[in-house]
């Protein structure tokens, strides 16, 4: 076994690898960029080496610097995590030449599976079913359009070297093909350095089912069952679960055997995932087609760990050190059901636009990290690479953490996931936590009616849903204010701030702002000492009791509520079991005289690079018309016109970096 390894990654996977290595007595070396100097993964490793600037191309993708760090610290092996260099053939080869073990498959296996087109040709030779499509090398746009016409719409364009939903577009009609192709190729070139694409028939009710495989250097290869990853947005996974609902034992064995055959065909070693498109057949069984192989550990591997009771990172380290697989196929079994939710910094109401900002509040549900779940000892697990006060930057992926739950049954796992999401409190930037709760509670997910269009199909209950009622926000605001004032009181009766009057009552006024509207809130102390909360014309008897920390036991009329209230400046975030709401307690005098923003400007929703303008100065544009394309967090984002008007000025050139809130262009009436 190794005595020291370098982790060539960041975030939760770096923290996860460090934890397993520490348990095995292995010392770890972290690498970090200018943006990551104070990150959690740096703190949890034994040593750390600076490798470059903020952007991945200046740091985490500079494999020569990573190898220098490995050799300089005496690390015997490099764990690439996922993303960045985890599927980089040149890096794996460079590690071998430098005498450093790459904890992953050999370069030849990465090469064979790195191109979706080449991999599908290999699978065709092995007799694995494929989705009809064009997987050739000729990427002439006219040829690709002709192939799409021949196979029939809808079609799916995919970056051959891609992954994670980048460089992927569904096209429903021929007139949209050219623009979608150009966008895919730009995104693929930016993300993977290769703009080659393939085109396939789009399966209209597809499920995404993948098989976890593991192989050692002695020729053994097993599959550790399947994961259903059908719940997706932008072709990126949102929820993953194991085992896949509705998959028969016979089909599971058939898919597992096909995945093992795929791994053996390329001489695979280590952890890998063979991904399939699955669809329900007329007889109720599930058919499947090979999609691609990810030659690395997957983000969703914890659900496999939860149902098998295994540590897949430990398996990676042991296999890379030359040890045989710890278990044979007939020793592997499924125990219970597990679900993982990806908690991301993004705004689901704005087409999942990635968010940046500081996590002023970060509270997780009670959990036990990095322990077996199959025996029930850690029914809730959180894999996170961030801490309270950390910032989510525009340079890396938007995922904050992974929340994993396990249950004896799927129903129990669903209930635990909802409760765990309710106890996850993040304040300071947009997240998808509330959205995830709605997905988990939707009819389609609850009844396992799964396919990759689930989010679109359930849009009516997933988007534009109300947050907690304003009166609960007002109650939380009042409870926090009363507790804060009580802490300032002393033994002197004249220091009391309870509004006592010899005659009559006392009223405290708040100015609450939510979604651009102001609401008058009053907390009245009646002559008998009781409190009454007023919101506009409505009022309720009110009482509150601090529970310690940020918690309050609140009575609001007939309701008894347990609230968590987090206050940062004027921002007040209130969490209850059924949801949350963020409002502002506005100091009206302090904001007097502030003017409104220029209504004719369009600003960058987050830091990024201008990819293209879709209108020029002097063009007449209509509300909703695409005006510009930005690239941020490895994805393209289109900026639309907020109203009708004429383009008066373009304020940045294509290729320029733009700060969040920077004006891109201006419209006149």
């Amino acid at each position: 076994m190794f005595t020291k390894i370098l982790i060539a990654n960041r975030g939760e996977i770096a923290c996860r690898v460090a934890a397993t290595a520490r348990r095995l007595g292995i010392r770890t070396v972290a690498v970090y960029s200018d943006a990551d100097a104070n990150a959690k993964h740096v703190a949890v490793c034994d040593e750390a080496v600076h490798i470059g600037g903020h952007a991945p191309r200046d740091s985490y993708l500079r494999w020569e610097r990573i190898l220098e760090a490995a050799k300089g610290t005496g690390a015997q092996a490099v764990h690439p995590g996922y993303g960045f260099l985890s599927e980089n053939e040149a890096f794996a080869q460079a590690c071998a030449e430098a005498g450093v073990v790459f904890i992953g498959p050999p370069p030849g296996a990465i090469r064979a599976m790195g191109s979706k087109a080449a991999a599908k040709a290999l699978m065709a030779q092995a007799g694995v079913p494929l989705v009809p499509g064009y997987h050739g090398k000729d990427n002439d746009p006219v040829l690709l359009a002709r192939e799409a016409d021949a196979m029939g719409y809808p079609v799916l364009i995919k970056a051959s070297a891609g992954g994670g939903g980048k460089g992927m577009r569904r096209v429903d009609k021929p007139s949209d093909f050219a623009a979608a192709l150009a966008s895919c190729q730009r995104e693929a070139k930016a993300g993977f350095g290769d703009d080659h694409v393939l085109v396939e028939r789009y399966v209209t009710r597809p499920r995404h089912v993948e098989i976890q495989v593991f192989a050692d250097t002695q020729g053994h290869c097993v599959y550790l069952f399947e994961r259903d990853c059908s719940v997706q947005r932008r072709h990126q996974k949102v929820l993953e679960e194991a085992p896949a609902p509705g998959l028969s034992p016979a089909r599971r064995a058939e898919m597992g055997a096909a995945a093992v055959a795929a791994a053996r065909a390329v001489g695979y070693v280590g952890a890998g995932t063979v991904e399939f498109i699955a669809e329900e057949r007329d007889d109720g069984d599930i058919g499947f087609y090979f999609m691609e192989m990810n030659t690395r550990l997957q983000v969703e591997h914890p659900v496999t760990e939860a149902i098998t009771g295994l540590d897949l990172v430990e398996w990676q380290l042991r296999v890379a050190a030359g040890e045989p697989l710890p278990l044979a196929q007939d020793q592997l079994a499924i125990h219970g059901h597990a679900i993982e939710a990806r908690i991301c910094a993004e705004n689901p109401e704005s087409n999942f636009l990635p968010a940046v900002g500081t996590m002023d509040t970060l509270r997780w549900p009670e959990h036990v990290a990095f322990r077996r779940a199959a025996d029930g000892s850690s029914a809730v697990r959180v894999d996170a690479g961030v801490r309270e006060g950390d910032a989510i930057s525009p340079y890396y992926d938007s995922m904050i953490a992974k929340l994993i739950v396990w249950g004896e049954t799927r129903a129990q796992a669903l209930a635990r996931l909802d409760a765990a999401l309710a106890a996850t409190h993040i304040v300071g930037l947009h997240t998808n936590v509330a959205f995830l709760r709605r997905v988990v509670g939707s009819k389609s997910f609850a009844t396992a009616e799964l396919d990759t269009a689930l989010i679109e199909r359930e849009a009516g209950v997933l988007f534009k849903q109300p947050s907690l009622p304003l009166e609960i926000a007002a109650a939380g605001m009042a409870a926090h204010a009363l507790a804060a004032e009580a802490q300032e009181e002393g033994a002197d009766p004249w220091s009391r701030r309870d509004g006592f009057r010899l005659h009559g009552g006392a009223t405290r006024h708040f100015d609450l702002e939510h979604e651009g509207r102001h609401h008058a809130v009053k907390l009245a102390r009646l002559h008998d000492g009781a409190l009454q909360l007023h919101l506009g014309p409505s009022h309720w008897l009110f009482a509150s009791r601090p529970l310690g920390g940020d918690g309050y036991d609140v009575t609001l009329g007939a309701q008894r509520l347990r609230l968590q209230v987090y206050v940062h400046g004027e921002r007040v975030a209130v969490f209850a079991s059924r949801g949350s709401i963020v409002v502002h307690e506005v100091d009206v005098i302090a904001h007097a005289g502030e003017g409104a923003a220029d209504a004719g400007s369009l600003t960058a929703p987050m830091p990024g690079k201008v990819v293209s303008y879709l209108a020029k100065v002097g063009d007449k544009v209509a509300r909703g018309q695409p005006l510009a394309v930005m690239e941020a967090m490895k994805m393209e984002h289109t900026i639309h016109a907020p109203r009708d008007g004429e383009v008066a000025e373009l304020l940045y050139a294509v290729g320029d970096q733009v700060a969040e809130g920077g004006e891109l262009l201006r419209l006149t009436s």
Side-chain angles (χ1 to χ4, degrees):
M1 182 56 75
F2 309 113
T3 58
K4 182 185 286 189
I5 64 171
L6 181 144
I7 306 170
N9 216 295
R10 64 178 303 278
E12 52 84 21
I13 183 58
C15 296
R16 169 67 208 283
V17 174
T20 293
R22 184 182 303 111
R23 182 169 56 78
L24 297 175
I26 301 171
R27 294 179 63 82
T28 53
V29 180
V31 294
Y32 65 93
S33 71
D34 288 347
D36 274 338
N38 299 311
K40 181 180 176 181
H41 77 276
V42 175
V44 300
C45 288
D46 299 296
E47 302 175 52
V49 179
H50 177 255
I51 54 171
H54 295 74
R57 65 176 178 274
D58 299 323
S59 51
Y60 290 101
L61 294 177
R62 298 288 296 273
W63 56 261
E64 69 281 0
R65 293 188 181 180
I66 290 174
L67 275 180
E68 289 172 4
K71 290 185 285 186
T73 57
Q76 302 151 296
V78 172
H79 194 299
Y82 32 70
F84 293 139
L85 298 171
S86 61
E87 297 180 280
N88 188 302
E89 176 194 351
F91 178 57
Q93 185 63 46
C95 287
E97 293 172 356
V100 176
V101 175
F102 177 77
I103 302 176
I110 297 176
R111 180 173 60 254
M113 289 298 189
S115 166
K116 289 183 174 66
K120 293 201 173 189
L122 188 63
M123 293 302 100
Q125 294 175 9
V128 179
L130 300 178
V131 176
Y134 174 75
H135 308 129
K137 295 181 179 180
D138 189 345
N139 259 213
D140 176 67
V142 175
L143 171 66
L144 294 177
R146 187 165 61 245
E147 291 287 343
D149 291 341
M151 69 185 72
Y153 286 86
V155 300
L156 190 66
I157 306 173
K158 296 196 291 187
S160 182
K166 300 174 185 67
M168 185 181 296
R169 299 287 187 278
R170 170 179 168 166
V171 187
D172 292 307
K173 55 183 184 292
S175 59
D176 294 338
F177 186 85
L181 174 62
S183 181
C184 276
Q185 291 180 320
R186 279 197 308 269
E187 203 166 271
K189 185 69 174 178
F192 315 111
D194 183 353
D195 63 0
H196 189 271
V197 301
L198 51 85
V199 183
E200 294 179 339
R201 178 177 66 83
Y202 186 85
V203 179
T204 54
R205 286 293 301 270
R207 286 178 65 179
H208 183 139
V209 179
E210 59 189 31
I211 305 291
Q212 176 73 61
V213 295
F214 236 107
D216 61 22
T217 55
Q218 284 81 33
H220 307 114
C221 187
V222 299
Y223 66 93
L224 287 84
F225 313 110
E226 80 284 352
R227 301 183 285 255
D228 192 297
C229 309
S230 299
V231 183
Q232 302 179 4
R233 83 317 181 231
R234 288 181 164 181
H235 304 291
Q236 292 180 312
K237 301 162 187 173
V238 174
L239 293 167
E240 302 104 349
E241 60 182 304
L247 195 66
S248 67
R251 185 65 72 232
R252 175 177 294 120
E254 185 180 351
M255 293 179 74
V260 168
R264 290 188 182 280
V266 295
Y268 201 81
V269 173
T273 303
V274 181
E275 303 194 356
F276 296 95
I277 294 174
E279 61 180 344
E280 188 172 334
R281 294 174 172 171
D282 293 339
D283 60 3
D285 206 345
I286 296 174
F288 64 95
Y289 308 102
F290 174 83
M291 183 166 55
E292 62 182 332
M293 182 176 186
N294 288 294
T295 53
R296 55 178 168 82
L297 198 65
Q298 289 279 82
V299 175
E300 57 272 21
H301 74 272
V303 294
T304 295
E305 294 181 325
I307 65 166
T308 60
L310 304 172
D311 184 331
L312 298 192
V313 173
E314 179 180 343
W315 276 41
Q316 282 189 300
L317 297 176
R318 293 192 180 281
V319 166
E323 297 181 20
L325 290 176
L327 297 173
Q329 190 67 60
D330 60 3
Q331 295 175 294
L332 297 167
I334 295 172
H335 304 280
H337 199 94
I339 311 174
E340 174 181 293
R342 298 191 187 197
I343 297 175
C344 297
E346 63 186 18
N347 187 354
E349 299 295 341
S350 296
N351 195 27
F352 300 97
L353 184 71
V356 296
T358 300
M359 290 174 288
D360 298 318
T361 296
L362 182 62
R363 300 286 190 274
W364 299 119
E366 293 185 6
H367 64 283
V368 180
F370 313 126
R371 289 181 57 192
R372 288 169 36 125
D375 60 4
S377 63
S378 57
V380 179
R381 164 178 159 180
V382 176
D383 284 10
V386 295
R387 299 159 297 189
E388 187 169 277
D390 285 353
I392 300 297
S393 79
Y395 301 105
Y396 310 117
D397 188 87
S398 64
M399 191 171 71
I400 295 172
K402 302 180 303 192
L403 177 60
I404 307 102
V405 300
W406 176 89
E408 292 283 355
T409 64
R410 187 175 190 266
Q412 186 183 59
L414 280 170
R416 282 180 172 163
L417 181 55
D418 181 67
L421 287 167
T424 299
H425 301 164
I426 303 174
V427 182
L429 73 173
H430 289 292
T431 75
N432 65 339
V433 174
F435 173 79
L436 288 169
R437 286 195 73 189
R438 293 195 289 269
V439 175
V440 171
S442 69
K443 179 182 177 182
S444 291
F445 193 76
T447 58
E449 296 176 18
L450 304 173
D451 62 77
T452 57
L454 184 148
I455 289 177
E456 290 81 1
R457 189 171 65 252
E458 293 277 10
V461 297
L462 299 183
F463 299 100
K464 301 187 185 305
Q465 296 301 305
S467 54
L468 283 176
L470 279 178
E471 61 265 25
I472 294 181
M477 182 187 300
H480 180 271
L482 292 175
E485 290 175 355
Q487 289 181 346
E488 297 176 2
E489 295 179 352
D492 182 353
W494 300 107
S495 71
R496 294 184 64 83
R497 306 184 62 181
D498 58 3
F500 172 78
R501 299 288 189 276
L502 286 174
H503 300 284
T507 300
R508 173 164 181 173
H509 297 266
F510 301 89
D511 190 74
L512 182 153
E513 183 183 278
H514 181 60
E515 296 181 345
R517 298 184 61 185
H518 285 260
H519 303 269
V521 178
K522 294 189 298 182
L523 184 62
R525 185 174 295 276
L526 306 180
H527 68 279
D528 60 357
L531 294 174
Q532 194 173 69
L533 186 72
H534 295 251
L535 177 65
S538 302
H539 58 84
W540 305 262
L541 285 175
F542 172 83
S544 67
R545 178 174 61 89
L547 297 174
D550 303 291
Y552 300 91
D553 181 4
V554 171
T555 299
L556 184 66
Q559 298 184 74
R560 185 77 175 268
L561 304 164
R562 180 164 291 196
L563 304 180
Q564 298 291 127
V565 183
Y566 308 100
V567 178
H568 300 277
E570 293 185 344
R571 185 181 61 220
V572 181
V574 180
F575 290 81
S577 61
R578 52 183 160 133
S580 63
I581 186 170
V582 177
V583 299
H584 286 78
E585 182 184 351
V586 180
D587 185 334
V588 178
I589 296 176
H591 289 277
E594 292 183 356
D598 178 10
S601 66
L602 289 100
T603 58
M606 62 187 305
K609 182 177 71 174
V610 178
V611 174
S612 65
Y613 284 108
L614 307 178
K616 61 183 183 298
V617 173
D619 283 359
K620 301 284 188 181
V621 297
R623 180 181 179 182
Q625 181 176 331
L627 298 181
V629 178
M630 289 187 65
E631 179 187 298
M633 286 188 171
K634 308 177 187 178
M635 299 288 286
E636 287 192 357
H637 309 279
T638 302
I639 311 299
H640 297 84
R643 58 180 175 79
D644 296 349
E646 180 179 316
V647 179
E649 188 177 5
L650 304 180
L651 300 174
Y652 287 88
V654 172
D656 284 354
Q657 290 288 331
V658 184
E660 181 179 4
E663 290 187 46
L664 297 172
L665 62 147
R666 288 180 178 162
L667 296 180
T668 58
S669 299

